[in-house]
Amino acid sequence: MSDNKILLAVNGTLMRGLELNPNMLAAGAEFVSEETTAACYRCWTINDRHPGMIRTPGQGKSIALEVWAVPPAGLGDILQKEPAGLCIGKIELADGREVLGVLAEPWLVENQKEITELGGWRSYTGHYYSE
């Protein structure tokens, strides 16, 4: 990984083998690691198309995600292709590090099915990645 790349945590369709992962690859992103968040996030399925994750201190769980190294110019390309209501914020990982990551605006998860207890998008969809 080159030093000028930005670490980006993704928790849904941008992950390896999923629908929007080609957006990561086209932007020059490199997979770094599988991680989990600190136990302070909740996650919903947004119309069974993608997840929405929000930090909720004191009432969340750990959510599985992937960390990628993204060139600065590629970050904008990735974000412009994300569905409305998803944004970038700081995500706390289980080991205490903070990285940029994809989060949901609160309006996006209203009246959607919560999947927090399943621990993440792959557990909800059953789409696991193997090399």
Side-chain angles (χ1 to χ4, degrees):
M1 178 181 89
S2 69
D3 293 334
N4 68 338
K5 291 194 175 182
I6 299 165
L7 292 180
L8 179 69
V10 298
N11 60 53
T13 57
L14 290 172
M15 293 190 296
R16 294 172 297 158
L18 297 179
E19 180 183 358
L20 297 182
N21 185 251
N23 295 349
M24 297 291 279
L25 301 175
E30 300 172 16
F31 173 76
V32 175
S33 60
E34 291 183 359
E35 303 287 344
T36 56
T37 67
C40 58
Y41 291 86
R42 292 172 64 192
C43 191
W44 291 261
T45 176
I46 310 304
N47 300 318
D48 282 338
R49 299 229 14 164
H50 61 84
M53 184 175 80
I54 295 179
R55 187 175 183 152
T56 56
Q59 53 180 311
K61 303 279 184 197
S62 291
I63 303 295
L65 46 73
E66 293 180 352
V67 174
W68 288 71
V70 182
L75 187 58
D77 292 338
I78 292 166
L79 295 177
Q80 288 179 332
K81 295 174 183 170
E82 282 292 274
L86 295 180
C87 57
I88 294 296
K90 290 221 176 158
I91 292 179
E92 182 182 358
L93 301 179
D95 64 10
R97 290 180 294 151
E98 281 190 339
V99 297
L100 292 181
V102 179
L103 294 167
E105 295 180 39
W107 66 265
L108 185 64
V109 304
E110 289 178 9
N111 302 313
Q112 299 292 326
K113 178 181 176 183
E114 187 167 355
I115 60 171
T116 302
E117 293 300 322
L118 298 175
W121 188 245
R122 287 196 191 279
S123 294
Y124 175 70
T125 63
H127 293 122
Y128 294 95
Y129 183 79
S130 63
E131 293 187 47

